[in-house]
Amino acid sequence: MDGVSVPMSFSNAQGIQVNLAPGNTQINVFELPPASVTWPMRIGRIPLQASAFQPRAEAPAIMDIDGGRGTPTLVLSGGGGVGKSQLAAWCCAEAAASGLDLVLWIDGRRVDTVVDGYAEAAGRIRVPGVSADGDQERDAAAFLDWLATTDRRWLVVLDDVTDVAQLAGWWPAGSNGSGRVLATTRRQDDAALSGSGRTVVTMDVFRPGESRDYLRSRLREAGRADLIDDALDGVAEDLGHLPLALSHAAGYLINEAVTGARYRRLLSDTTVRLDALLPPNADADGYGRHVPHTLLLTIDAAVDADPNGFVAAALRLVSVLDPAGHPVELWAHPAIAAHLTRHRTWPMRRRLLSRKADGDQVRATLAVLHRYGLLTNDGATVRTHALTARAVREAAPAAVPGAVGAATRALLELWPETDHVDGNGPPR
């Protein structure tokens, strides 16, 4: 190799090129022209649009965010499986079709993934101030500065935000009105959700007409219109019109060539578990989520958020009551307090707390369950989704008899002796 020059070159993040040749002690450094950025740009794993997607009634509120008063931020709040992420993905497609320069999708469950997503975008877009040493927080901050000042039109989606407080300081904000922020979360009634100018839109399950259109369209698109029958409306009702469950149910109908009537009979058989009727292999649209697991995904967070240790026992009580609702007064009954106290979970750090449940502690537990989307409590009535209740019972079958006993004792004592007055005779 003597006398043969073998040049080598490399470049760093700052666009500096270094050329080396054997036998040369001098390193020549050349400034490279800045790399160009190709617009439009899509960053992140945006979910594919589901088969027979229903735009939903909430769509106009999302697409009509007022961009004239700073950066509009909208938060889609709703329980697991109601279609928040799917609607957000639809908005991304609509935004791209309208000519937005940047669409960024980030997993919002942890602050570090948000920071990493911003930092990646900063590098891809080559925003001013990107660090040479890979400082993620510095790069993320530079990206937020760029969003606040750029004339480029952009949409940032923070999907499945679990802790709003942790994201303090990491919400995009600006004053030129060129961008939008869309977040999805299971959290409910969290004052932080609506802070800093954020607008909250509550999402619920499909309306009956949306369920009907979805199931029929899904079967037709799969070439199985022969499976459509009058029982499909009953299937949707049995599944509580939950979009994620309807998607898996449609996959089951198609895979097993089962009619709606047959599927309803299977659903009514309590010896058949949900994971058999809504199996992962029916996830034709790639949600990547097991329905029972999705419904109960926030239990661990709710348990950790409840300082009194009643979450698990309270959720089991709710699961044996009518999903359509029961009076909140039920939770003030001594039989309920005794049951919660007896089945309390006690993390080591909480063993010094009073072991007897009181009204304030029970109300605090209901508030936690409501906040994490495991039930709804409007101050008068407590409700839960029928599939959530079934998933809870299937997850802890041994706890069901005790919960039924406590709920029965409380209901019998609360039930009025005079049920109603006919009008043509004495009360009965």
Side-chain angles (χ1 to χ4, degrees), residues 217-296:
S217 297
R218 180 74 178 89
L219 294 175
R220 290 192 187 100
E221 287 183 3
R224 295 311 308 259
D226 58 302
L227 300 177
I228 297 174
D229 59 14
D230 293 339
L232 283 182
D233 290 346
V235 169
E237 185 175 349
D238 293 342
L239 294 175
H241 300 283
L242 185 72
L244 180 63
L246 291 175
S247 170
H248 281 65
Y252 184 96
L253 297 179
I254 295 165
N255 291 343
E256 304 299 326
V258 170
T259 63
R262 171 61 178 158
Y263 191 76
R264 290 199 75 187
R265 289 194 292 272
L266 292 171
L267 275 177
S268 66
D269 184 350
T270 56
T271 65
V272 181
R273 292 178 58 88
L274 279 179
D275 51 11
L277 297 173
L278 303 168
N281 66 0
D283 184 17
D285 287 315
Y287 284 95
R289 289 173 284 180
H290 188 202
V291 175
H293 175 70
T294 298
L295 292 169
L296 305 180

Side-chain angles (χ1 to χ4, degrees), residues 91-169:
C91 290
C92 287
E94 293 292 303
S98 70
L100 257 66
D101 297 299
L102 171 66
V103 176
L104 172 62
W105 184 283
I106 298 178
D107 182 344
R109 285 175 290 182
R110 301 196 318 271
V111 67
D112 59 323
T113 60
V114 173
V115 171
D116 289 348
Y118 290 163
E120 178 188 355
R124 295 272 298 275
I125 298 171
R126 299 181 178 270
V127 303
V130 172
S131 61
D133 56 0
D135 187 319
Q136 297 291 86
E137 289 201 4
R138 188 188 308 168
D139 292 350
F143 176 69
L144 291 181
D145 289 342
W146 180 84
L147 290 180
T149 57
T150 184
D151 291 329
R152 296 280 181 184
R153 297 173 60 215
W154 53 265
L155 170 66
V156 172
V157 177
L158 303 176
D159 186 43
D160 203 9
V161 173
T162 56
D163 192 330
V164 179
Q166 281 193 356
L167 289 184

